Amino acid sequence: GIQVEQSPPDLILQEGANSTLRCNFSDSVNNLQWFHQNPWGQLINLFYIPSGTKQNGRLSATTVATERYSLLYISSSQTTDSGVYFCAVARRSSNTGKLIFGQGTTLQVKP
Amino acid sequence: DAGVIQSPRHEVTEMGQEVTLRCKPISGHNSLFWYRQTMMRGLELLIYFNNNVPIDDSGMPEDRFSAKMPNASFSTLKIQPSEPRDSAVYFCASTLGGTQKELFFGEGSRLTVL
């Protein structure tokens, strides 16, 4: 099956810093989403981004499908950005479109 | 707007007991997904329904697990009999229009089997 690798596994930032999270995948995809799991366990959809670039406030994401990676940018980080960030993809050749999740990047933003 | 609603939020039960988890998808969404999250295995898709019909149940661990979707606004995930290794957070999620759309999660049901 498709492999989804996220890096770094852990990240500690000082409030106000910027960061880039990476998601590599091993096959062509037609669906890629980024999620944030906050410290209370809620999973929030950040972006649906199978290709191209999107921005939402301090967050932006870019997917380069031909090179099989996606990047999530967090600017001017805040303590509320802490949590785990997941990338999830579905293989283009899949007949079910099942989303496969990476293992996540755990982000801690210190005040 | 109401999001995906799951119940119970927490369940503690003893090995061998039946567990039923419930989910109400976002109104108008026609695809529903059950995921399980553990430290060891991360987020795993158990089963998904499209228009109330199970499409992919290859992630259901074994016959002790079953899921139903009797109508567009309700689904259940049942474990019978439960075992300690079933302890996990079970998430329900829904989308509008199948697997190629944004996925919205409920708050999860934390199950502990003693």
Side-chain angles (χ1 to χ4, degrees):
Chain A
I2 191 170
Q3 304 299 313
V4 184
E5 294 183 0
Q6 292 187 241
S7 60
D10 301 281
L11 186 59
I12 300 175
L13 297 176
Q14 208 63 38
E15 198 169 29
N18 302 328
S19 63
T20 300
L21 282 57
R22 187 176 180 102
C23 172
N24 291 335
F25 41 94
S26 61
D27 203 346
S28 296
V29 301
N30 58 4
N31 187 348
L32 189 146
Q33 301 186 38
W34 283 96
F35 297 87
H36 174 219
Q37 187 166 35
N38 65 25
W40 296 270
Q42 292 178 299
L43 276 160
I44 308 298
N45 192 304
L46 298 176
F47 294 104
Y48 169 75
I49 187 166
S51 64
T53 298
K54 288 186 178 179
Q55 180 157 7
N56 184 2
R58 296 180 297 102
L59 301 182
S60 64
T62 295
T63 297
V64 185
T66 53
E67 297 187 20
R68 300 183 183 174
Y69 73 88
S70 182
L71 302 174
L72 178 68
Y73 305 96
I74 304 174
S75 64
S76 304
S77 58
Q78 300 177 359
T79 56
T80 52
D81 295 331
S82 297
V84 184
Y85 289 81
F86 290 102
C87 167
V89 305
R91 284 172 58 194
R92 183 176 298 278
S93 58
S94 168
N95 55 10
T96 63
K98 184 189 313 192
L99 270 180
I100 305 299
F101 281 75
Q103 289 301 306
T105 291
T106 300
L107 172 64
Q108 183 182 0
V109 181
K110 293 188 172 181
Chain B
D1 290 347
V4 177
I5 299 172
Q6 292 187 243
S7 65
R9 294 292 312 282
H10 302 273
E11 175 94 3
V12 180
T13 191
E14 293 188 346
M15 184 173 62
Q17 296 298 306
E18 177 179 292
V19 173
T20 299
L21 307 177
R22 298 174 176 79
C23 175
K24 177 179 169 54
I26 293 172
S27 178
H29 282 194
N30 61 348
S31 297
L32 182 141
F33 306 74
W34 282 101
Y35 281 85
R36 177 172 68 176
Q37 186 177 35
T38 61
M39 288 295 292
M40 291 297 293
R41 300 174 67 88
L43 273 159
E44 305 173 278
L45 177 65
L46 300 178
I47 185 170
Y48 94 82
F49 295 85
N50 195 42
N51 293 324
N52 312 338
V53 176
I55 301 300
D56 183 352
D57 65 354
S58 60
M60 294 286 265
E62 48 198 273
D63 292 346
R64 296 184 298 106
F65 286 69
S66 62
K68 293 183 180 180
M69 191 164 186
N71 58 61
S73 58
F74 184 67
S75 177
T76 59
L77 178 67
K78 187 174 293 186
I79 308 172
Q80 166 64 21
S82 58
E83 297 183 3
R85 61 193 166 120
D86 302 330
S87 298
V89 181
Y90 291 81
F91 287 99
C92 178
S94 70
T95 71
L96 175 62
T99 57
Q100 299 307 314
K101 302 296 182 183
E102 294 173 88
L103 194 62
F104 294 93
F105 282 87
E107 294 188 330
S109 294
R110 181 175 295 277
L111 172 65
T112 302
V113 183
L114 303 174

mmCIF file of all heavy atoms in Angstrom, chain B residues 60-95:
data_model
loop_
_atom_site.group_PDB
_atom_site.id
_atom_site.type_symbol
_atom_site.label_atom_id
_atom_site.label_comp_id
_atom_site.label_asym_id
_atom_site.label_seq_id
_atom_site.Cartn_x
_atom_site.Cartn_y
_atom_site.Cartn_z
ATOM 1 N N MET B 60 -12.018 -3.600 9.268
ATOM 2 C CA MET B 60 -12.668 -4.136 10.470
ATOM 3 C C MET B 60 -11.799 -5.283 10.980
ATOM 4 O O MET B 60 -11.563 -6.265 10.266
ATOM 5 C CB MET B 60 -14.073 -4.628 10.143
ATOM 6 C CG MET B 60 -14.993 -3.487 9.731
ATOM 7 S SD MET B 60 -15.482 -2.463 11.114
ATOM 8 C CE MET B 60 -17.040 -3.242 11.527
ATOM 9 N N PRO B 61 -11.345 -5.191 12.238
ATOM 10 C CA PRO B 61 -10.329 -6.134 12.710
ATOM 11 C C PRO B 61 -10.774 -7.602 12.705
ATOM 12 O O PRO B 61 -9.982 -8.471 12.390
ATOM 13 C CB PRO B 61 -10.021 -5.663 14.120
ATOM 14 C CG PRO B 61 -10.821 -4.456 14.369
ATOM 15 C CD PRO B 61 -11.687 -4.178 13.225
ATOM 16 N N GLU B 62 -11.961 -7.893 13.066
ATOM 17 C CA GLU B 62 -12.398 -9.280 13.137
ATOM 18 C C GLU B 62 -13.913 -9.308 13.327
ATOM 19 O O GLU B 62 -14.567 -8.272 13.409
ATOM 20 C CB GLU B 62 -11.686 -9.993 14.293
ATOM 21 C CG GLU B 62 -11.709 -9.227 15.605
ATOM 22 C CD GLU B 62 -10.652 -9.732 16.580
ATOM 23 O OE1 GLU B 62 -10.949 -10.676 17.326
ATOM 24 O OE2 GLU B 62 -9.543 -9.161 16.583
ATOM 25 N N ASP B 63 -14.428 -10.530 13.394
ATOM 26 C CA ASP B 63 -15.886 -10.684 13.439
ATOM 27 C C ASP B 63 -16.528 -10.095 14.677
ATOM 28 O O ASP B 63 -17.752 -9.927 14.718
ATOM 29 C CB ASP B 63 -16.248 -12.179 13.348
ATOM 30 C CG ASP B 63 -15.919 -12.740 11.980
ATOM 31 O OD1 ASP B 63 -15.682 -11.932 11.059
ATOM 32 O OD2 ASP B 63 -15.900 -13.971 11.850
ATOM 33 N N ARG B 64 -15.747 -9.764 15.657
ATOM 34 C CA ARG B 64 -16.331 -9.175 16.869
ATOM 35 C C ARG B 64 -16.824 -7.752 16.608
ATOM 36 O O ARG B 64 -17.591 -7.212 17.371
ATOM 37 C CB ARG B 64 -15.289 -9.153 17.998
ATOM 38 C CG ARG B 64 -14.818 -10.523 18.459
ATOM 39 C CD ARG B 64 -13.871 -10.423 19.638
ATOM 40 N NE ARG B 64 -12.653 -9.686 19.320
ATOM 41 C CZ ARG B 64 -12.398 -8.451 19.735
ATOM 42 N NH1 ARG B 64 -13.276 -7.806 20.494
ATOM 43 N NH2 ARG B 64 -11.266 -7.852 19.399
ATOM 44 N N PHE B 65 -16.349 -7.169 15.514
ATOM 45 C CA PHE B 65 -16.733 -5.812 15.153
ATOM 46 C C PHE B 65 -17.794 -5.848 14.064
ATOM 47 O O PHE B 65 -17.680 -6.610 13.094
ATOM 48 C CB PHE B 65 -15.526 -5.037 14.621
ATOM 49 C CG PHE B 65 -14.542 -4.614 15.670
ATOM 50 C CD1 PHE B 65 -13.764 -5.546 16.336
ATOM 51 C CD2 PHE B 65 -14.378 -3.269 15.982
ATOM 52 C CE1 PHE B 65 -12.844 -5.151 17.308
ATOM 53 C CE2 PHE B 65 -13.459 -2.865 16.941
ATOM 54 C CZ PHE B 65 -12.691 -3.814 17.603
ATOM 55 N N SER B 66 -18.816 -5.012 14.232
ATOM 56 C CA SER B 66 -19.824 -4.871 13.187
ATOM 57 C C SER B 66 -20.290 -3.417 13.164
ATOM 58 O O SER B 66 -20.254 -2.729 14.184
ATOM 59 C CB SER B 66 -21.004 -5.815 13.425
ATOM 60 O OG SER B 66 -21.655 -5.503 14.646
ATOM 61 N N ALA B 67 -20.701 -2.975 11.989
ATOM 62 C CA ALA B 67 -21.185 -1.600 11.845
ATOM 63 C C ALA B 67 -22.429 -1.598 10.983
ATOM 64 O O ALA B 67 -22.554 -2.395 10.055
ATOM 65 C CB ALA B 67 -20.108 -0.703 11.232
ATOM 66 N N LYS B 68 -23.324 -0.675 11.325
ATOM 67 C CA LYS B 68 -24.564 -0.549 10.558
ATOM 68 C C LYS B 68 -24.853 0.930 10.312
ATOM 69 O O LYS B 68 -24.430 1.801 11.079
ATOM 70 C CB LYS B 68 -25.736 -1.169 11.324
ATOM 71 C CG LYS B 68 -25.655 -2.675 11.482
ATOM 72 C CD LYS B 68 -26.887 -3.214 12.192
ATOM 73 C CE LYS B 68 -26.809 -4.726 12.341
ATOM 74 N NZ LYS B 68 -28.001 -5.271 13.042
ATOM 75 N N MET B 69 -25.600 1.154 9.264
ATOM 76 C CA MET B 69 -26.077 2.511 8.988
ATOM 77 C C MET B 69 -27.512 2.367 8.486
ATOM 78 O O MET B 69 -27.748 2.269 7.275
ATOM 79 C CB MET B 69 -25.194 3.226 7.975
ATOM 80 C CG MET B 69 -25.511 4.690 7.883
ATOM 81 S SD MET B 69 -24.193 5.609 7.069
ATOM 82 C CE MET B 69 -24.817 7.279 7.319
ATOM 83 N N PRO B 70 -28.469 2.315 9.382
ATOM 84 C CA PRO B 70 -29.858 2.061 8.992
ATOM 85 C C PRO B 70 -30.506 3.211 8.240
ATOM 86 O O PRO B 70 -31.472 2.993 7.495
ATOM 87 C CB PRO B 70 -30.559 1.825 10.333
ATOM 88 C CG PRO B 70 -29.698 2.499 11.350
ATOM 89 C CD PRO B 70 -28.292 2.395 10.841
ATOM 90 N N ASN B 71 -29.980 4.426 8.425
ATOM 91 C CA ASN B 71 -30.502 5.570 7.672
ATOM 92 C C ASN B 71 -29.408 6.618 7.549
ATOM 93 O O ASN B 71 -28.313 6.465 8.116
ATOM 94 C CB ASN B 71 -31.755 6.145 8.348
ATOM 95 C CG ASN B 71 -31.507 6.569 9.774
ATOM 96 O OD1 ASN B 71 -30.686 7.443 10.032
ATOM 97 N ND2 ASN B 71 -32.204 5.945 10.718
ATOM 98 N N ALA B 72 -29.695 7.679 6.824
ATOM 99 C CA ALA B 72 -28.666 8.675 6.498
ATOM 100 C C ALA B 72 -28.181 9.474 7.691
ATOM 101 O O ALA B 72 -27.184 10.184 7.601
ATOM 102 C CB ALA B 72 -29.214 9.624 5.435
ATOM 103 N N SER B 73 -28.872 9.378 8.820
ATOM 104 C CA SER B 73 -28.505 10.224 9.947
ATOM 105 C C SER B 73 -28.043 9.441 11.171
ATOM 106 O O SER B 73 -27.919 9.992 12.261
ATOM 107 C CB SER B 73 -29.687 11.121 10.341
ATOM 108 O OG SER B 73 -30.806 10.334 10.674
ATOM 109 N N PHE B 74 -27.728 8.153 10.996
ATOM 110 C CA PHE B 74 -27.355 7.380 12.167
ATOM 111 C C PHE B 74 -26.528 6.163 11.776
ATOM 112 O O PHE B 74 -26.845 5.452 10.815
ATOM 113 C CB PHE B 74 -28.627 6.923 12.901
ATOM 114 C CG PHE B 74 -28.364 6.194 14.183
ATOM 115 C CD1 PHE B 74 -27.802 6.834 15.268
ATOM 116 C CD2 PHE B 74 -28.693 4.850 14.309
ATOM 117 C CE1 PHE B 74 -27.572 6.165 16.459
ATOM 118 C CE2 PHE B 74 -28.464 4.160 15.503
ATOM 119 C CZ PHE B 74 -27.910 4.818 16.564
ATOM 120 N N SER B 75 -25.473 5.926 12.570
ATOM 121 C CA SER B 75 -24.657 4.725 12.373
ATOM 122 C C SER B 75 -24.215 4.216 13.738
ATOM 123 O O SER B 75 -24.071 4.986 14.699
ATOM 124 C CB SER B 75 -23.429 5.034 11.520
ATOM 125 O OG SER B 75 -22.596 3.894 11.389
ATOM 126 N N THR B 76 -24.002 2.908 13.817
ATOM 127 C CA THR B 76 -23.486 2.302 15.034
ATOM 128 C C THR B 76 -22.285 1.432 14.707
ATOM 129 O O THR B 76 -22.175 0.851 13.622
ATOM 130 C CB THR B 76 -24.538 1.420 15.730
ATOM 131 O OG1 THR B 76 -24.958 0.393 14.825
ATOM 132 C CG2 THR B 76 -25.726 2.225 16.179
ATOM 133 N N LEU B 77 -21.374 1.371 15.659
ATOM 134 C CA LEU B 77 -20.241 0.449 15.622
ATOM 135 C C LEU B 77 -20.340 -0.392 16.882
ATOM 136 O O LEU B 77 -20.371 0.150 17.987
ATOM 137 C CB LEU B 77 -18.912 1.208 15.592
ATOM 138 C CG LEU B 77 -17.639 0.353 15.595
ATOM 139 C CD1 LEU B 77 -17.513 -0.430 14.303
ATOM 140 C CD2 LEU B 77 -16.398 1.230 15.798
ATOM 141 N N LYS B 78 -20.421 -1.706 16.694
ATOM 142 C CA LYS B 78 -20.635 -2.595 17.829
ATOM 143 C C LYS B 78 -19.451 -3.531 17.976
ATOM 144 O O LYS B 78 -18.916 -4.037 16.981
ATOM 145 C CB LYS B 78 -21.927 -3.389 17.624
ATOM 146 C CG LYS B 78 -22.341 -4.233 18.804
ATOM 147 C CD LYS B 78 -23.719 -4.871 18.575
ATOM 148 C CE LYS B 78 -24.814 -3.850 18.535
ATOM 149 N NZ LYS B 78 -26.162 -4.473 18.468
ATOM 150 N N ILE B 79 -19.056 -3.759 19.207
ATOM 151 C CA ILE B 79 -17.995 -4.717 19.510
ATOM 152 C C ILE B 79 -18.578 -5.726 20.492
ATOM 153 O O ILE B 79 -19.044 -5.380 21.570
ATOM 154 C CB ILE B 79 -16.770 -4.035 20.151
ATOM 155 C CG1 ILE B 79 -16.297 -2.841 19.322
ATOM 156 C CG2 ILE B 79 -15.620 -5.044 20.307
ATOM 157 C CD1 ILE B 79 -15.222 -2.004 19.981
ATOM 158 N N GLN B 80 -18.578 -6.983 20.097
ATOM 159 C CA GLN B 80 -19.144 -8.036 20.930
ATOM 160 C C GLN B 80 -18.459 -9.363 20.649
ATOM 161 O O GLN B 80 -18.563 -9.874 19.538
ATOM 162 C CB GLN B 80 -20.651 -8.157 20.676
ATOM 163 C CG GLN B 80 -21.331 -9.410 21.224
ATOM 164 C CD GLN B 80 -21.282 -9.504 22.744
ATOM 165 O OE1 GLN B 80 -21.105 -8.495 23.430
ATOM 166 N NE2 GLN B 80 -21.425 -10.720 23.255
ATOM 167 N N PRO B 81 -17.768 -9.948 21.639
ATOM 168 C CA PRO B 81 -17.469 -9.401 22.958
ATOM 169 C C PRO B 81 -16.249 -8.498 22.919
ATOM 170 O O PRO B 81 -15.365 -8.665 22.082
ATOM 171 C CB PRO B 81 -17.154 -10.675 23.762
ATOM 172 C CG PRO B 81 -16.549 -11.600 22.751
ATOM 173 C CD PRO B 81 -17.245 -11.306 21.445
ATOM 174 N N SER B 82 -16.187 -7.544 23.802
ATOM 175 C CA SER B 82 -15.057 -6.618 23.825
ATOM 176 C C SER B 82 -13.853 -7.258 24.514
ATOM 177 O O SER B 82 -14.003 -8.143 25.373
ATOM 178 C CB SER B 82 -15.444 -5.315 24.525
ATOM 179 O OG SER B 82 -15.887 -5.577 25.842
ATOM 180 N N GLU B 83 -12.659 -6.803 24.125
ATOM 181 C CA GLU B 83 -11.406 -7.281 24.700
ATOM 182 C C GLU B 83 -10.549 -6.064 25.057
ATOM 183 O O GLU B 83 -10.711 -4.988 24.460
ATOM 184 C CB GLU B 83 -10.663 -8.173 23.704
ATOM 185 C CG GLU B 83 -11.415 -9.436 23.352
ATOM 186 C CD GLU B 83 -10.646 -10.349 22.415
ATOM 187 O OE1 GLU B 83 -9.490 -10.010 22.082
ATOM 188 O OE2 GLU B 83 -11.183 -11.397 22.030
ATOM 189 N N PRO B 84 -9.608 -6.234 26.000
ATOM 190 C CA PRO B 84 -8.752 -5.098 26.388
ATOM 191 C C PRO B 84 -8.022 -4.454 25.215
ATOM 192 O O PRO B 84 -7.839 -3.239 25.187
ATOM 193 C CB PRO B 84 -7.779 -5.728 27.396
ATOM 194 C CG PRO B 84 -8.564 -6.830 28.015
ATOM 195 C CD PRO B 84 -9.417 -7.394 26.889
ATOM 196 N N ARG B 85 -7.648 -5.235 24.212
ATOM 197 C CA ARG B 85 -6.925 -4.674 23.063
ATOM 198 C C ARG B 85 -7.813 -3.802 22.181
ATOM 199 O O ARG B 85 -7.319 -3.161 21.247
ATOM 200 C CB ARG B 85 -6.304 -5.781 22.214
ATOM 201 C CG ARG B 85 -7.289 -6.757 21.608
ATOM 202 C CD ARG B 85 -6.537 -7.971 21.066
ATOM 203 N NE ARG B 85 -7.432 -9.067 20.766
ATOM 204 C CZ ARG B 85 -7.559 -9.597 19.551
ATOM 205 N NH1 ARG B 85 -6.851 -9.131 18.551
ATOM 206 N NH2 ARG B 85 -8.374 -10.609 19.345
ATOM 207 N N ASP B 86 -9.110 -3.777 22.444
ATOM 208 C CA ASP B 86 -10.011 -2.883 21.708
ATOM 209 C C ASP B 86 -9.989 -1.472 22.280
ATOM 210 O O ASP B 86 -10.599 -0.556 21.708
ATOM 211 C CB ASP B 86 -11.442 -3.409 21.760
ATOM 212 C CG ASP B 86 -11.574 -4.809 21.184
ATOM 213 O OD1 ASP B 86 -10.784 -5.160 20.272
ATOM 214 O OD2 ASP B 86 -12.456 -5.564 21.650
ATOM 215 N N SER B 87 -9.331 -1.276 23.399
ATOM 216 C CA SER B 87 -9.242 0.056 24.014
ATOM 217 C C SER B 87 -8.592 1.019 23.031
ATOM 218 O O SER B 87 -7.499 0.764 22.507
ATOM 219 C CB SER B 87 -8.439 -0.016 25.317
ATOM 220 O OG SER B 87 -9.081 -0.850 26.261
ATOM 221 N N ALA B 88 -9.272 2.118 22.759
ATOM 222 C CA ALA B 88 -8.822 3.076 21.745
ATOM 223 C C ALA B 88 -9.804 4.242 21.738
ATOM 224 O O ALA B 88 -10.812 4.232 22.446
ATOM 225 C CB ALA B 88 -8.800 2.417 20.364
ATOM 226 N N VAL B 89 -9.500 5.228 20.906
ATOM 227 C CA VAL B 89 -10.476 6.271 20.619
ATOM 228 C C VAL B 89 -11.071 5.966 19.247
ATOM 229 O O VAL B 89 -10.327 5.768 18.273
ATOM 230 C CB VAL B 89 -9.850 7.680 20.618
ATOM 231 C CG1 VAL B 89 -10.932 8.723 20.331
ATOM 232 C CG2 VAL B 89 -9.178 7.970 21.959
ATOM 233 N N TYR B 90 -12.370 5.900 19.191
ATOM 234 C CA TYR B 90 -13.077 5.601 17.951
ATOM 235 C C TYR B 90 -13.699 6.887 17.424
ATOM 236 O O TYR B 90 -14.472 7.539 18.119
ATOM 237 C CB TYR B 90 -14.155 4.532 18.187
ATOM 238 C CG TYR B 90 -13.548 3.186 18.489
ATOM 239 C CD1 TYR B 90 -13.095 2.870 19.774
ATOM 240 C CD2 TYR B 90 -13.382 2.232 17.485
ATOM 241 C CE1 TYR B 90 -12.500 1.640 20.053
ATOM 242 C CE2 TYR B 90 -12.796 1.007 17.751
ATOM 243 C CZ TYR B 90 -12.354 0.733 19.038
ATOM 244 O OH TYR B 90 -11.761 -0.482 19.296
ATOM 245 N N PHE B 91 -13.323 7.238 16.205
ATOM 246 C CA PHE B 91 -13.824 8.450 15.583
ATOM 247 C C PHE B 91 -14.792 8.106 14.460
ATOM 248 O O PHE B 91 -14.575 7.165 13.689
ATOM 249 C CB PHE B 91 -12.676 9.268 14.972
ATOM 250 C CG PHE B 91 -11.808 9.975 15.970
ATOM 251 C CD1 PHE B 91 -10.595 9.435 16.353
ATOM 252 C CD2 PHE B 91 -12.203 11.194 16.508
ATOM 253 C CE1 PHE B 91 -9.778 10.088 17.270
ATOM 254 C CE2 PHE B 91 -11.396 11.852 17.416
ATOM 255 C CZ PHE B 91 -10.181 11.302 17.797
ATOM 256 N N CYS B 92 -15.815 8.903 14.370
ATOM 257 C CA CYS B 92 -16.718 8.871 13.233
ATOM 258 C C CYS B 92 -16.465 10.145 12.429
ATOM 259 O O CYS B 92 -16.154 11.208 12.997
ATOM 260 C CB CYS B 92 -18.164 8.815 13.730
ATOM 261 S SG CYS B 92 -19.406 8.839 12.437
ATOM 262 N N ALA B 93 -16.550 10.046 11.114
ATOM 263 C CA ALA B 93 -16.333 11.207 10.257
ATOM 264 C C ALA B 93 -17.314 11.141 9.096
ATOM 265 O O ALA B 93 -17.808 10.054 8.733
ATOM 266 C CB ALA B 93 -14.896 11.241 9.731
ATOM 267 N N SER B 94 -17.598 12.282 8.495
ATOM 268 C CA SER B 94 -18.498 12.291 7.347
ATOM 269 C C SER B 94 -18.009 13.261 6.289
ATOM 270 O O SER B 94 -17.222 14.179 6.560
ATOM 271 C CB SER B 94 -19.934 12.627 7.778
ATOM 272 O OG SER B 94 -20.067 13.972 8.178
ATOM 273 N N THR B 95 -18.441 13.022 5.055
ATOM 274 C CA THR B 95 -18.156 13.912 3.934
ATOM 275 C C THR B 95 -19.397 14.031 3.065
ATOM 276 O O THR B 95 -20.306 13.198 3.133
ATOM 277 C CB THR B 95 -17.013 13.411 3.032
ATOM 278 O OG1 THR B 95 -17.471 12.270 2.302
ATOM 279 C CG2 THR B 95 -15.778 13.053 3.801
#
